[in-house]
Every structure is written in C-alpha cells, then in structure tokens.
Amino acid sequence: MEPMDFSNSVLVVDDEPFVLRTTAAVLGRLGFAQVETAHNVDDAMEIIAATIPPVGLVLSDLNMPDADGLELLRRFDEINYRGDILLFSGEDSQTLKMAESLARARGLSVIGAITKPVQPERLLEILSQHSRAVKPMRRPVGEGMAIPPVMLETAIDNGELIPWFQPKIDVARRMPVGLEALARWPNSAQGPIFPDAFIPVAERHGLIDKLTFSLVEQAVAMDSVWRQQGIELRMAFNISMNSLQNAKFPDILEKRVMAAGGRIAQLQLEVTESQLMKDLVRPLEALLRLRMKKVKLSIDDFGTGHSNLRQLRDLPFDELKLDRSYVQSGDNGERTRLILESTVEMAKKLGLSVVAEGVENLQEWQRVERLGCDQVQGYFTAKPMSGEDIPKWISCWPERCKALFGSY
Ligand code: G
Ligand code: G
Ligand code: MN
C-alpha cells in the first residue's frame, strides 16, 4: 500500500461548530498540515476553488440546513471534483449507504461513510485503507493545458481543428449507417490536443459556435464527395448547450450546411444529457426549430445525467445514446442489467432508436444486441479515424465484419 500523502489540504463541512472544531483537531493530530472548515455548502465550494495546496479529501456531514450533503455531492459532480470524499452523519447506516452509492453513481470517489460522532480510530482506519486517499483534485478539464483562447481561435480560423469520424453500425444488418464527427486538433504547437481540453475553453470564451461551424463545414464537404461515391451515412455532430441557448443557431447552421454543399436534414445532432437537464426551456425552442428542419436529434451520454425517460418523453429526440459506462459495466450484476433492460424497453416504446456506445468486444456486442439496441458505436467495430481513412474503411468493412463475428 502506498504511503498516505498528507501534503494536500483537507476540508471538513458541517453546520455544527463543535463538530467542525473537534474533527479538524483529530485530522490535525493525524498529521494533516492544512485543515480547512466550512459550515455550509457555498463556503465549501469557495474553499475548494481557492485553496492551495488543493483539497484532496473532503469530510462532509449529510444533514445540514439549506443545502445538505447531497447537494454538495451534486456540486462536486458539476465541477468534476476528483479528490476523495468521506461522508458522516447521524442518520442510520442504510441512509449513509445510499448516499454513498449516490456519490459513486456520480463518479465521485467515496472512501467511506461513517456514523457520528467521528471516532479518530475509525477515521485513521479508513484513511490508511485508501492509498488513493488525499491525492490532489484534478484541475478543471482544459485548465491544466492552459490553452489561450486566442491560440484556439487562430487554430479554428486556420482549419487546424478537423473532424474525425467514428462509424455507427446497425446491429441487425451489421452495416455502417452513420458517422459521429469528433473534433481533433492533431498538430498544435504542443502536439495533439484532445477535445476534453479545448471544448471547455471554446465554451468559456464564446468560440464554440465558430468551432462547431468549422467542423460542420469540413465534414459536410467530405460527405458530399462520399455521397457521390455512393457512401450515404448520416453524419452526427456534438452540439454544445451554449449553442442551443441561441434561438438563431438552427438558421445559421442551415446556411452553413448549404454553403458547404449539404442539406441540414441529413444531419444528426447530439446533445449531452447532463447539460440538457440544466435549463430546458431556452434550448427547447432551438431543438424544436431543428426538428422542424428535419434534423435528427440524439441524447448523448444517457445515464450520466439525472433525467428520466418521462422527462424526455416531451422532448423532440429521435435517438438515445447509452453511455459507455452502462454498456461496459457488463458483469456488474443484476441491478445494472435490469436498469439497462428497462431503459432500452422504455426508450423503444417512446419511439427512440437506441445506440450503445463504447462496445469494445464481441461479448459486449452480444449483450447490447440481446437488449435490443439498434446501433452500436465503439472500438469493437471502429475507432475514430480521419476523413481520408473513411472510404477505405467502408470498402474493407464486409471483410472485417466476417473476421470480427466469425461464426456468430
Ligand atoms: O473522442 P472523444 O475523446 O473524441 O471526445 C471527447 C468528448 O468531447 C466527447 O464527450 C465528445 O462528445 C466531445 N466532443 C468531441 N468533439 C466535439 C465537438 O465538435 N463539439 C462538442 N461540443 N463536443 C465534442
Ligand atoms: O460524444 P461522446 O461523449 O459520446 O463521445 C464519444 C467518446 O467516446 C469519444 O471520446 C470517443 O473517442 C470515445 N469512444 C468511442 N468508442 C469507444 C470505446 O469503445 N471505448 C472507449 N473507451 N471510448 C470510446
Ligand atoms: Mn457524442
């Protein structure tokens, strides 16, 4: 087991001053150099944003007036907090367990949930069991790369950001039916930069429309050439929620697509579920307008946000893309399987086509096929590739398909 790193800050969140003082004292005795305290969620978030060394561990009470520990978990999720979390509460252990699973479901790193009062021995036991404990939190995505917005803008203007494509395969026919365009910046001054780093910068600095339109124009131009060669695949683009805040976005997009020689009705647009649920009213106008232009709409990364299918029923979507965390958690047992089964079943009843993302092997393919997924997108069938490689990939597919599936 790795030695514990006590050089990061620790934060204790509790509304009771006495608990704060005693817990902080215990942590100090355990060897933490810097112990911060917050008596509510807002203060906690400020401390996390401002403290150096970064907060690598948060101990939080579940029950607080106003915003409680569950709210804290939601806000951690929003900022992508990557440090460890230890929950404590006067609640019964069942409630604590459920809070723990909620935090895990949000992708947070929970190292334990204990009942109050917090015993020093119990705390030490948990901390020493976790070699991951007390590591620095990940910086907000993109910030670590420190991409200056002017550099990104110049790169977009110079066409350095290009679309790559990942095929979507129809499960029943085992044929490619679509391509998802994924932004790539292969030759920046610092080498290749991935979308996780530059998309947030583009969103923060008002460059996301410019980026999207540039990719759409390039991809649509390639698509027209492919169509002349008889390759007809629906092209999908990821659309930021920022773009959909603007009711004019659909019209501008349509003009750009036409200028590049394509038709907007041939496109599919993907909106990430977790972004979607934040503010439904404004984007709804843009989404409806897109639908009236016969664009196909997808909910991306389904299962990472907190919507349910009933909320989605009234939104104008055609397709649901199951997040790869569901698709890949194959042997996670009965409950995951049940959730998956009923999600797919309900989605289909609502008339949505279901795409399984992140299928990496034949076993996962078979599983999502049994579930009734309509399409698959994943490394098993194809990794994202450059536009130049697409025609060749298409022509090799029948051969490759035989090799992949064998006698299955
Ligand atoms: O290939 P992958 O690493 O390409 O993409 C990482 C993430 O970046 C995915 O969540 C994907 O949706 C997002 N992404 C990729 N290209 C674009 C794009 O052109 N626009 C937006 N908004 N997101 C993109
Ligand atoms: O837009 P979305 O968030 O769905 O972006 C798709 C992301 O998933 C891209 O980053 C793409 O490179 C990645 N991806 C596609 N197929 C697979 C796969 O089979 N396994 C893994 N790990 N990632 C995948
Ligand atoms: Mn996508």
Side-chain angles (χ1 to χ4, degrees), residues 271-313:
V271 187
T272 297
E273 186 219 3
S274 52
Q275 280 193 331
L276 187 64
M277 288 305 141
K278 276 187 209 152
D279 171 14
L280 266 174
V281 182
R282 279 221 267 173
L284 196 53
E285 185 178 340
L287 287 170
L288 279 172
R289 193 156 285 141
L290 286 165
R291 191 189 180 87
M292 287 155 68
K293 294 180 190 296
K294 309 287 180 250
V295 174
K296 294 262 186 261
L297 299 172
S298 303
I299 307 157
D300 206 358
D301 305 325
F302 188 81
T304 56
H306 314 289
S307 54
N308 55 48
L309 286 163
R310 227 173 65 162
Q311 288 169 295
L312 295 178
R313 184 188 54 191

Short mmCIF file of all heavy atoms in Angstrom, two decimals, residues 271-313:
data_model
loop_
_atom_site.label_atom_id
_atom_site.label_comp_id
_atom_site.label_asym_id
_atom_site.label_seq_id
_atom_site.Cartn_x
_atom_site.Cartn_y
_atom_site.Cartn_z
N VAL A 271 -26.82 16.01 -28.17
CA VAL A 271 -26.74 16.90 -27.02
C VAL A 271 -26.57 16.05 -25.77
O VAL A 271 -27.30 15.09 -25.56
CB VAL A 271 -28.04 17.73 -26.86
CG1 VAL A 271 -27.87 18.76 -25.77
CG2 VAL A 271 -28.41 18.39 -28.17
N THR A 272 -25.58 16.40 -24.97
CA THR A 272 -25.30 15.60 -23.79
C THR A 272 -26.40 15.73 -22.74
O THR A 272 -26.84 16.83 -22.45
CB THR A 272 -23.94 16.03 -23.19
OG1 THR A 272 -22.96 15.76 -24.16
CG2 THR A 272 -23.62 15.29 -21.92
N GLU A 273 -26.80 14.59 -22.22
CA GLU A 273 -27.94 14.57 -21.30
C GLU A 273 -27.74 15.44 -20.08
O GLU A 273 -28.63 16.19 -19.68
CB GLU A 273 -28.19 13.13 -20.83
CG GLU A 273 -29.42 12.98 -20.00
CD GLU A 273 -29.24 12.00 -18.85
OE1 GLU A 273 -28.15 11.48 -18.67
OE2 GLU A 273 -30.21 11.79 -18.13
N SER A 274 -26.54 15.39 -19.49
CA SER A 274 -26.35 16.14 -18.24
C SER A 274 -26.43 17.65 -18.49
O SER A 274 -26.88 18.40 -17.64
CB SER A 274 -25.01 15.78 -17.61
OG SER A 274 -23.99 15.93 -18.55
N GLN A 275 -26.01 18.08 -19.67
CA GLN A 275 -26.13 19.50 -19.99
C GLN A 275 -27.58 19.89 -20.24
O GLN A 275 -28.03 20.95 -19.86
CB GLN A 275 -25.35 19.80 -21.29
CG GLN A 275 -23.87 19.93 -21.11
CD GLN A 275 -23.26 20.54 -22.36
OE1 GLN A 275 -23.77 20.38 -23.46
NE2 GLN A 275 -22.17 21.24 -22.19
N LEU A 276 -28.27 18.97 -20.87
CA LEU A 276 -29.65 19.23 -21.29
C LEU A 276 -30.56 19.57 -20.13
O LEU A 276 -31.41 20.44 -20.21
CB LEU A 276 -30.16 17.99 -22.01
CG LEU A 276 -31.51 18.08 -22.67
CD1 LEU A 276 -31.45 19.10 -23.79
CD2 LEU A 276 -31.91 16.74 -23.21
N MET A 277 -30.37 18.82 -19.02
CA MET A 277 -31.33 18.93 -17.95
C MET A 277 -31.18 20.20 -17.13
O MET A 277 -32.03 20.53 -16.32
CB MET A 277 -31.20 17.70 -17.03
CG MET A 277 -31.73 16.47 -17.71
SD MET A 277 -33.41 16.75 -18.25
CE MET A 277 -33.45 15.93 -19.82
N LYS A 278 -30.08 20.92 -17.34
CA LYS A 278 -29.86 22.11 -16.54
C LYS A 278 -30.89 23.19 -16.83
O LYS A 278 -31.41 23.84 -15.95
CB LYS A 278 -28.46 22.67 -16.81
CG LYS A 278 -27.40 21.97 -15.98
CD LYS A 278 -26.07 22.66 -16.15
CE LYS A 278 -24.94 21.66 -15.98
NZ LYS A 278 -23.75 22.03 -16.71
N ASP A 279 -31.16 23.41 -18.10
CA ASP A 279 -32.06 24.50 -18.46
C ASP A 279 -32.81 24.09 -19.71
O ASP A 279 -32.29 24.14 -20.80
CB ASP A 279 -31.22 25.78 -18.71
CG ASP A 279 -32.10 26.87 -19.30
OD1 ASP A 279 -33.34 26.74 -19.24
OD2 ASP A 279 -31.54 27.85 -19.81
N LEU A 280 -34.02 23.64 -19.47
CA LEU A 280 -34.73 23.03 -20.59
C LEU A 280 -35.46 24.02 -21.49
O LEU A 280 -35.64 23.78 -22.68
CB LEU A 280 -35.75 22.03 -20.04
CG LEU A 280 -35.19 20.63 -19.97
CD1 LEU A 280 -36.16 19.71 -19.29
CD2 LEU A 280 -34.91 20.14 -21.38
N VAL A 281 -35.89 25.13 -20.92
CA VAL A 281 -36.83 25.97 -21.67
C VAL A 281 -36.18 26.64 -22.87
O VAL A 281 -36.67 26.54 -23.99
CB VAL A 281 -37.45 27.03 -20.74
CG1 VAL A 281 -38.46 27.86 -21.51
CG2 VAL A 281 -38.14 26.33 -19.57
N ARG A 282 -35.04 27.29 -22.62
CA ARG A 282 -34.42 28.02 -23.73
C ARG A 282 -33.99 27.12 -24.88
O ARG A 282 -34.29 27.41 -26.03
CB ARG A 282 -33.25 28.84 -23.20
CG ARG A 282 -33.74 30.12 -22.57
CD ARG A 282 -32.83 31.25 -22.95
NE ARG A 282 -31.81 31.40 -21.92
CZ ARG A 282 -30.78 32.23 -22.03
NH1 ARG A 282 -30.61 32.94 -23.13
NH2 ARG A 282 -29.91 32.32 -21.07
N PRO A 283 -33.28 26.03 -24.58
CA PRO A 283 -32.86 25.18 -25.69
C PRO A 283 -34.02 24.52 -26.42
O PRO A 283 -33.87 24.12 -27.58
CB PRO A 283 -32.00 24.10 -25.03
CG PRO A 283 -31.94 24.41 -23.61
CD PRO A 283 -32.71 25.60 -23.30
N LEU A 284 -35.17 24.42 -25.76
CA LEU A 284 -36.29 23.73 -26.38
C LEU A 284 -36.70 24.40 -27.69
O LEU A 284 -37.02 23.72 -28.67
CB LEU A 284 -37.47 23.69 -25.40
CG LEU A 284 -38.57 22.70 -25.73
CD1 LEU A 284 -38.01 21.31 -25.94
CD2 LEU A 284 -39.60 22.67 -24.61
N GLU A 285 -36.65 25.72 -27.72
CA GLU A 285 -37.01 26.43 -28.95
C GLU A 285 -36.05 26.06 -30.08
O GLU A 285 -36.49 25.73 -31.19
CB GLU A 285 -36.99 27.94 -28.71
CG GLU A 285 -37.46 28.71 -29.93
CD GLU A 285 -37.48 30.23 -29.70
OE1 GLU A 285 -37.51 30.66 -28.52
OE2 GLU A 285 -37.47 30.97 -30.70
N ALA A 286 -34.76 26.09 -29.78
CA ALA A 286 -33.78 25.74 -30.81
C ALA A 286 -33.95 24.28 -31.24
O ALA A 286 -33.90 23.96 -32.44
CB ALA A 286 -32.37 25.97 -30.28
N LEU A 287 -34.19 23.39 -30.27
CA LEU A 287 -34.35 21.98 -30.60
C LEU A 287 -35.57 21.75 -31.51
O LEU A 287 -35.51 21.01 -32.49
CB LEU A 287 -34.50 21.14 -29.33
CG LEU A 287 -33.22 20.95 -28.51
CD1 LEU A 287 -33.52 20.32 -27.15
CD2 LEU A 287 -32.21 20.10 -29.28
N LEU A 288 -36.68 22.44 -31.16
CA LEU A 288 -37.89 22.28 -31.98
C LEU A 288 -37.67 22.80 -33.39
O LEU A 288 -38.10 22.20 -34.37
CB LEU A 288 -39.06 23.02 -31.33
CG LEU A 288 -39.73 22.24 -30.20
CD1 LEU A 288 -40.75 23.10 -29.48
CD2 LEU A 288 -40.41 20.98 -30.78
N ARG A 289 -36.97 23.94 -33.47
CA ARG A 289 -36.70 24.52 -34.79
C ARG A 289 -35.84 23.56 -35.63
O ARG A 289 -36.09 23.38 -36.82
CB ARG A 289 -35.99 25.86 -34.60
CG ARG A 289 -35.95 26.68 -35.85
CD ARG A 289 -35.81 28.15 -35.54
NE ARG A 289 -37.04 28.74 -35.06
CZ ARG A 289 -37.11 29.65 -34.10
NH1 ARG A 289 -36.02 30.04 -33.49
NH2 ARG A 289 -38.27 30.16 -33.76
N LEU A 290 -34.87 22.93 -34.97
CA LEU A 290 -34.04 21.96 -35.68
C LEU A 290 -34.88 20.79 -36.16
O LEU A 290 -34.75 20.32 -37.29
CB LEU A 290 -32.92 21.46 -34.77
CG LEU A 290 -31.79 22.47 -34.52
CD1 LEU A 290 -30.93 22.05 -33.33
CD2 LEU A 290 -30.93 22.62 -35.78
N ARG A 291 -35.79 20.36 -35.30
CA ARG A 291 -36.64 19.24 -35.68
C ARG A 291 -37.53 19.61 -36.87
O ARG A 291 -37.77 18.81 -37.76
CB ARG A 291 -37.51 18.83 -34.50
CG ARG A 291 -38.20 17.52 -34.77
CD ARG A 291 -39.21 17.21 -33.71
NE ARG A 291 -39.85 15.96 -33.97
CZ ARG A 291 -39.40 14.78 -33.58
NH1 ARG A 291 -38.28 14.71 -32.91
NH2 ARG A 291 -40.05 13.68 -33.87
N MET A 292 -38.01 20.86 -36.86
CA MET A 292 -38.83 21.30 -37.99
C MET A 292 -38.03 21.35 -39.29
O MET A 292 -38.59 21.29 -40.37
CB MET A 292 -39.46 22.66 -37.67
CG MET A 292 -40.60 22.52 -36.64
SD MET A 292 -40.93 24.01 -35.69
CE MET A 292 -41.59 25.07 -36.94
N LYS A 293 -36.72 21.45 -39.15
CA LYS A 293 -35.86 21.39 -40.33
C LYS A 293 -35.46 19.94 -40.65
O LYS A 293 -34.57 19.68 -41.43
CB LYS A 293 -34.59 22.23 -40.11
CG LYS A 293 -34.84 23.73 -39.97
CD LYS A 293 -33.53 24.47 -39.76
CE LYS A 293 -33.74 25.94 -39.38
NZ LYS A 293 -34.40 26.73 -40.44
N LYS A 294 -36.11 19.00 -39.97
CA LYS A 294 -35.92 17.55 -40.21
C LYS A 294 -34.55 17.03 -39.79
O LYS A 294 -34.07 16.01 -40.30
CB LYS A 294 -36.19 17.18 -41.68
CG LYS A 294 -37.51 17.67 -42.23
CD LYS A 294 -38.68 16.87 -41.65
CE LYS A 294 -40.01 17.36 -42.20
NZ LYS A 294 -40.83 18.05 -41.19
N VAL A 295 -33.90 17.75 -38.88
CA VAL A 295 -32.64 17.26 -38.31
C VAL A 295 -32.98 16.16 -37.32
O VAL A 295 -33.99 16.25 -36.62
CB VAL A 295 -31.92 18.41 -37.57
CG1 VAL A 295 -30.69 17.92 -36.85
CG2 VAL A 295 -31.57 19.52 -38.53
N LYS A 296 -32.16 15.11 -37.25
CA LYS A 296 -32.37 14.09 -36.23
C LYS A 296 -31.64 14.49 -34.97
O LYS A 296 -30.52 15.01 -35.03
CB LYS A 296 -31.83 12.74 -36.71
CG LYS A 296 -32.59 12.18 -37.90
CD LYS A 296 -33.62 11.17 -37.44
CE LYS A 296 -34.30 10.47 -38.60
NZ LYS A 296 -35.61 11.04 -38.92
N LEU A 297 -32.28 14.27 -33.82
CA LEU A 297 -31.68 14.72 -32.56
C LEU A 297 -31.40 13.54 -31.63
O LEU A 297 -32.23 12.64 -31.48
CB LEU A 297 -32.62 15.71 -31.87
CG LEU A 297 -32.93 17.00 -32.65
CD1 LEU A 297 -34.02 17.80 -31.96
CD2 LEU A 297 -31.67 17.85 -32.81
N SER A 298 -30.22 13.57 -31.02
CA SER A 298 -29.84 12.49 -30.11
C SER A 298 -29.58 13.01 -28.71
O SER A 298 -29.02 14.09 -28.54
CB SER A 298 -28.52 11.85 -30.53
OG SER A 298 -28.58 11.36 -31.81
N ILE A 299 -29.92 12.20 -27.72
CA ILE A 299 -29.47 12.47 -26.36
C ILE A 299 -28.20 11.67 -26.16
O ILE A 299 -28.22 10.44 -26.25
CB ILE A 299 -30.49 11.99 -25.33
CG1 ILE A 299 -31.86 12.57 -25.65
CG2 ILE A 299 -30.06 12.37 -23.93
CD1 ILE A 299 -32.97 11.75 -25.07
N ASP A 300 -27.11 12.37 -25.89
CA ASP A 300 -25.81 11.74 -25.79
C ASP A 300 -25.51 11.37 -24.34
O ASP A 300 -26.05 11.97 -23.41
CB ASP A 300 -24.76 12.75 -26.29
CG ASP A 300 -23.52 12.05 -26.83
OD1 ASP A 300 -23.45 10.82 -26.78
OD2 ASP A 300 -22.63 12.77 -27.31
N ASP A 301 -24.64 10.41 -24.15
CA ASP A 301 -24.17 10.03 -22.81
C ASP A 301 -25.32 9.76 -21.86
O ASP A 301 -25.25 10.13 -20.68
CB ASP A 301 -23.26 11.13 -22.22
CG ASP A 301 -22.11 11.49 -23.13
OD1 ASP A 301 -21.60 10.58 -23.79
OD2 ASP A 301 -21.73 12.67 -23.18
N PHE A 302 -26.38 9.12 -22.35
CA PHE A 302 -27.55 8.90 -21.49
C PHE A 302 -27.18 8.01 -20.30
O PHE A 302 -26.55 6.97 -20.46
CB PHE A 302 -28.71 8.27 -22.25
CG PHE A 302 -29.96 8.23 -21.43
CD1 PHE A 302 -30.76 9.34 -21.31
CD2 PHE A 302 -30.31 7.08 -20.74
CE1 PHE A 302 -31.90 9.32 -20.51
CE2 PHE A 302 -31.45 7.04 -19.95
CZ PHE A 302 -32.24 8.17 -19.84
N GLY A 303 -27.60 8.47 -19.13
CA GLY A 303 -27.27 7.72 -17.91
C GLY A 303 -26.25 8.47 -17.07
O GLY A 303 -26.04 8.14 -15.91
N THR A 304 -25.63 9.50 -17.64
CA THR A 304 -24.66 10.27 -16.85
C THR A 304 -25.35 11.45 -16.17
O THR A 304 -24.83 12.01 -15.22
CB THR A 304 -23.51 10.81 -17.71
OG1 THR A 304 -24.07 11.57 -18.78
CG2 THR A 304 -22.70 9.68 -18.29
N GLY A 305 -26.49 11.85 -16.68
CA GLY A 305 -27.22 12.97 -16.07
C GLY A 305 -28.27 12.43 -15.12
O GLY A 305 -28.18 11.29 -14.67
N HIS A 306 -29.26 13.21 -14.88
CA HIS A 306 -30.23 12.78 -13.87
C HIS A 306 -31.65 12.88 -14.38
O HIS A 306 -32.59 13.02 -13.61
CB HIS A 306 -30.01 13.57 -12.59
CG HIS A 306 -28.57 13.63 -12.24
ND1 HIS A 306 -27.89 12.54 -11.78
CD2 HIS A 306 -27.66 14.62 -12.38
CE1 HIS A 306 -26.63 12.85 -11.62
NE2 HIS A 306 -26.46 14.12 -11.98
N SER A 307 -31.81 12.82 -15.67
CA SER A 307 -33.16 12.89 -16.22
C SER A 307 -33.74 11.49 -16.18
O SER A 307 -33.05 10.50 -15.98
CB SER A 307 -33.09 13.35 -17.66
OG SER A 307 -32.22 12.53 -18.38
N ASN A 308 -35.04 11.40 -16.36
CA ASN A 308 -35.62 10.10 -16.56
C ASN A 308 -36.39 10.15 -17.87
O ASN A 308 -36.58 11.20 -18.47
CB ASN A 308 -36.49 9.69 -15.39
CG ASN A 308 -37.56 10.73 -15.13
OD1 ASN A 308 -38.23 11.18 -16.06
ND2 ASN A 308 -37.71 11.11 -13.88
N LEU A 309 -36.82 8.98 -18.28
CA LEU A 309 -37.43 8.92 -19.60
C LEU A 309 -38.74 9.69 -19.66
O LEU A 309 -39.15 10.14 -20.71
CB LEU A 309 -37.62 7.46 -20.01
CG LEU A 309 -36.30 6.80 -20.38
CD1 LEU A 309 -36.42 5.30 -20.37
CD2 LEU A 309 -35.81 7.29 -21.72
N ARG A 310 -39.40 9.84 -18.51
CA ARG A 310 -40.65 10.59 -18.53
C ARG A 310 -40.41 12.05 -18.88
O ARG A 310 -41.15 12.66 -19.63
CB ARG A 310 -41.35 10.47 -17.18
CG ARG A 310 -42.81 10.14 -17.39
CD ARG A 310 -43.49 9.85 -16.13
NE ARG A 310 -43.52 11.04 -15.28
CZ ARG A 310 -44.36 11.16 -14.27
NH1 ARG A 310 -45.17 10.16 -14.01
NH2 ARG A 310 -44.34 12.23 -13.53
N GLN A 311 -39.29 12.60 -18.32
CA GLN A 311 -38.94 13.97 -18.67
C GLN A 311 -38.61 14.08 -20.15
O GLN A 311 -38.87 15.08 -20.80
CB GLN A 311 -37.72 14.44 -17.87
CG GLN A 311 -37.98 14.68 -16.41
CD GLN A 311 -36.67 14.88 -15.68
OE1 GLN A 311 -35.85 13.98 -15.59
NE2 GLN A 311 -36.48 16.08 -15.15
N LEU A 312 -38.00 13.02 -20.65
CA LEU A 312 -37.54 13.06 -22.04
C LEU A 312 -38.68 12.85 -23.03
O LEU A 312 -38.57 13.19 -24.19
CB LEU A 312 -36.49 11.97 -22.27
CG LEU A 312 -35.20 12.16 -21.49
CD1 LEU A 312 -34.26 11.00 -21.77
CD2 LEU A 312 -34.53 13.48 -21.87
N ARG A 313 -39.78 12.31 -22.51
CA ARG A 313 -40.89 11.97 -23.39
C ARG A 313 -41.33 13.17 -24.21
O ARG A 313 -41.66 13.06 -25.39
CB ARG A 313 -42.05 11.46 -22.53
CG ARG A 313 -43.25 10.99 -23.31
CD ARG A 313 -44.39 10.71 -22.37
NE ARG A 313 -44.66 11.89 -21.53
CZ ARG A 313 -45.45 11.90 -20.47
NH1 ARG A 313 -46.03 10.77 -20.10
NH2 ARG A 313 -45.64 12.99 -19.76
#
